[in-house]
Amino acid sequence: MSKSPATDRASNPTSAQLIELFSQIESGRVTKEKLQSFIRGRDQDAASGYTVPVNYDLTVEQLVRDGLYDWADDNTTSAPFPLGKKGKEFATIELVTIDRLLTTEAVLDLIADRGLYRPNIKEGLSLGIWYPDLQRESQIAILYEPWRLPVSHPRVPCLRGNASSRYLGLLWFAGVWDPDWRFAAVRRA
């Protein structure tokens, strides 16, 4: 299989991804021009964000499976991350970086100051599906509404990886973040 310039790795889309792509083409949300730009890797960069199709009709479990992670936390399911939204739409996700240690509250303020919003769980997981190599470059926190365990700290999804593996974990929501982290944030139209 050939390599995609957008991801610089062999492209092996899942059947769910192909069905979603064809559905978006039929609806007119994905044009031939947009698709060609994406394939050539010209449409996506850190400045413009990453546009991903989000299928809210899929469960969190289905999105985790479609992400083809080498390891995923067993608690990343629909139960701790309920989302009643239905339908399909595109989300533009920017990766916010920091240059010093910041608390979660300071990161959330930074996201809001830029006119961005916290991604929901399905937007964040869609980023991992459509741009799997981003988490190999640097870890990405999805500061969605945290899962609150009765006897533990609130946790949020995070995408991590290295040259050979990709991981979907749950990390403490509260605390201090270092500049090695990037934070998924959504640009609303």
Side-chain angles (χ1 to χ4, degrees), residues 124-142:
L125 292 176
S126 294
L127 180 68
I129 291 169
W130 290 95
Y131 295 95
D133 289 334
L134 287 177
Q135 69 194 81
R136 293 179 195 277
E137 298 167 12
S138 180
Q139 49 207 2
I140 302 167
I142 303 167

Side-chain angles (χ1 to χ4, degrees), residues 159-176:
L159 304 173
R160 301 172 108 170
N162 56 44
S164 62
S165 301
R166 295 173 51 245
Y167 311 101
L168 170 61
L170 294 173
L171 202 65
W172 285 12
F173 177 72
V176 177

Side-chain angles (χ1 to χ4, degrees), residues 60 75-83 121 144-147 155 157 170:
V60 170
N75 295 304
T76 311
T77 66
S78 297
F81 298 106
L83 189 64
I121 184 75
Y144 176 62
E145 189 64 35
W147 175 37
R155 297 177 183 269
L170 294 173

